[in-house]
Amino acid sequence: MKVTINHNEYEAEPGQTILQVAKQNGIYIPTICHSPHLSDVGSCRMCLVEMENNHKLVASCVTPVTDGMKILTDSKRVIEARKTVVDLLVSDHPLDCMTCEANGNCVLQDLAYEYGIKESTFGTKKLPRFEIKADNEFIQLDPDKCILCGKCVRTCKEIQMCNALDFVNRGFETKVSPPFDEDLGGKDSPCVFCGQCVEICPTGALTYIPSNGKGRYYEFKKTITTCPYCGVGCQLE
Ligand code: FES
C-alpha cells in the first residue's frame, strides 16, 4: 500500500504503524513510551502526527497505516501539541537536572531542549511528593522523576517476566512501584536486579545505586564483563 508523509509518497506493509513507516524512511518522530522491544501502549502522546484530510492528531506508535493515508509529522499543529506534552511533563517533574544522575542521558531533558521548554507554563507541582526507594544495594527508584511511560513496567513483565514493578495509586498520586508499594529489595520482591528497568528508563527515576554521585553517565565507559548475580557467567555490558 501507499502512504503520503509530509507530501512524499512511501510504500508500506499492512499492519505497520505510522511510526514504523516513518522510521524506515528516515523521518524523525519523537517518542517516549515506545520501544521496538516492547508492546505499544500509546500513553505519552509525544509521537502525535496530523491526518492531512481531517486534521486529527493521532499517536503514530499505535496507529496502523491504511492505503492512501496522508500524514503530516511536522505541521504547526503537531509541534504545538508536542510542546504541550513536554510542558505538562515538566510541570510535574523536578527541575534539578544539574544534580540528577540522568543529566545528559534523559529523554525529557532532550525534548525540553528540542522544543524550547525552560519551565512549565502550567506552573510546577510541589515536589517531593513521593519517597525515594533505595532499600537495596543495586537500584534506586525516585518516583518524582518518573514520567509514567511504563517502559520499566513492560520490560519487567514482557522481557524479564518478573512483574517486580507496576503502577500504584491513581491520578496525580500514580507512581511506579513494586506491587502493594513494598520494597524493591524486600524478601517477597520478585526483582532479580537485572537492571533492564534502569537501562530503559528515559529519565532519572531508576538509577544504579553504586554509580550515584560518582560521575555523570557520559563520564562512564561501559565494558563487557561477567555478571556476578547467579552462577551462569553471562557476559554482559
Ligand atoms: Fe507514541 Fe508514547 S511514543 S504515545
Side-chain angles (χ1 to χ4, degrees), residues 19 30-35 40-48 59-62 149:
L19 182 65
T31 60
I32 298 178
C33 69
H34 165 79
S35 162
D40 275 311
V41 290
S43 62
C44 76
R45 316 313 276 181
M46 197 62 223
C47 67
L48 289 173
S60 61
C61 68
V62 287
C149 67

Side-chain angles (χ1 to χ4, degrees), residues 68-87:
M69 196 179 233
K70 290 187 176 171
I71 304 140
L72 298 170
T73 67
D74 56 3
S75 65
K76 192 164 175 279
R77 190 163 148 74
V78 167
I79 302 300
E80 284 307 314
R82 288 187 195 150
K83 271 187 180 175
T84 304
V85 170
V86 179
D87 197 345

Side-chain angles (χ1 to χ4, degrees), residues 84-155:
T84 304
V85 170
V86 179
D87 197 345
L88 283 165
L89 288 173
V90 169
S91 75
D92 190 32
H93 196 85
L95 300 177
D96 61 353
C97 296
M98 292 304 286
T99 53
C100 177
E101 282 301 307
N103 188 17
N105 183 38
C106 173
V107 173
L108 182 60
Q109 191 181 44
D110 292 346
L111 290 169
Y113 180 70
E114 184 180 338
Y115 290 98
I117 308 290
K118 292 186 178 158
E119 57 189 352
S120 177
T121 56
F122 296 98
T124 308
K125 264 226 141 215
K126 202 164 174 292
L127 298 169
R129 290 193 290 136
F130 301 117
E131 274 182 27
I132 294 174
K133 277 193 189 291
D135 53 71
N136 63 88
E137 292 176 65
F138 309 108
I139 294 172
Q140 175 174 296
L141 171 59
D142 182 348
D144 279 325
K145 290 182 180 169
C146 176
I147 53 177
L148 302 175
C149 67
K151 274 174 156 175
C152 57
V153 173
R154 281 174 284 146
T155 299

